[in-house]
Amino acid sequence: MGMDGVELLMAVEEHFGISIRDDEVAEIRTVGELVAIVDGRLKAAQTSVCSLLPAFLRLRTAARAVVNNNQLHIRPSMRLVDVLTSSQRRRLWTVIRDDLSLRASALRLPSWLRRLVATVILVVMPVGVVYLARIDPAFLVLAVLGWAFVSLSLVIGTARFASVPPNKLSTFGAIAISIAGTEVATKNLHLRTSEAVLDELRPIVARVLDIAPSKVVPAARFIEDLGMA
């Protein structure tokens, strides 16, 4: 999926309060197929008594299993970083993405490590390159290659220390809402028909893909007909 597809997916998820699973993304080729997924989430929400509670209970069970404590007290407002260690957060994130089917963004490095890596790459290494170039201009190419190699090594080498959830998924409640979104919608629940869903989707698709709204019809293929990159 190209950048157009990513932007469209994020816009649709935000607008309807849903989370589209990876296996569903792979099957979306036409506007009608996207409408069907959104319509299904809306209908599930309209017939569900409480869509958030089951998702939160599933998340709590997963978190308790990670820490091996069936009595672990978890509230929706609690942040993962305040309850779980870095290694526990990494294990829970694997469960969230694999077992709970949430297409969540990757964990981030702790802020201190991000600052350290950025300082080395953007400050320390450039100073070294300039210093070597002043000693002998012939060193410039080697210095730049060394800068690139060290930068890449730092990025790859520190990736295993990523343990901080994205800001929008920092609390157990936010994650539970996203998990619930893989089954039900949480916004625009007034839409009752697939035609109404299409009407709601049409301006979103047209805006993201920069096309005329009239082209957004159920049979239209995103790549072949609408030019999605």
Side-chain angles (χ1 to χ4, degrees), residues 106-125:
L107 294 172
R108 300 174 300 157
L109 295 176
S111 58
W112 68 268
L113 187 52
R114 290 201 306 271
R115 289 194 295 268
L116 177 61
V117 171
T119 299
V120 172
I121 293 176
L122 301 178
V123 179
V124 177
M125 293 300 297

Side-chain angles (χ1 to χ4, degrees), residues 12-14 16-20 37-38 41 178 181-182 184-186:
V12 171
E13 289 182 327
E14 172 63 25
F16 293 97
I18 64 175
S19 298
I20 301 178
I37 289 176
V38 175
R41 296 283 204 280
S178 293
T182 63
V184 299
T186 59

Side-chain angles (χ1 to χ4, degrees), residues 85-91 93 106-110 113-114 155-165:
T85 65
S86 57
S87 61
Q88 290 170 345
R89 293 195 296 271
R90 285 192 288 269
R91 292 201 299 273
W93 215 251
L107 294 172
R108 300 174 300 157
L109 295 176
L113 187 52
R114 290 201 306 271
V155 172
I156 295 175
T158 57
R160 59 178 177 171
F161 298 109
S163 60
V164 180

Side-chain angles (χ1 to χ4, degrees), residues 57-74:
L57 294 178
R58 289 166 60 195
L59 176 62
R60 186 180 68 177
T61 297
R64 286 176 170 178
V66 163
V67 301
N68 194 26
N69 179 2
N70 290 330
Q71 303 302 318
L72 179 66
H73 179 68
I74 297 175

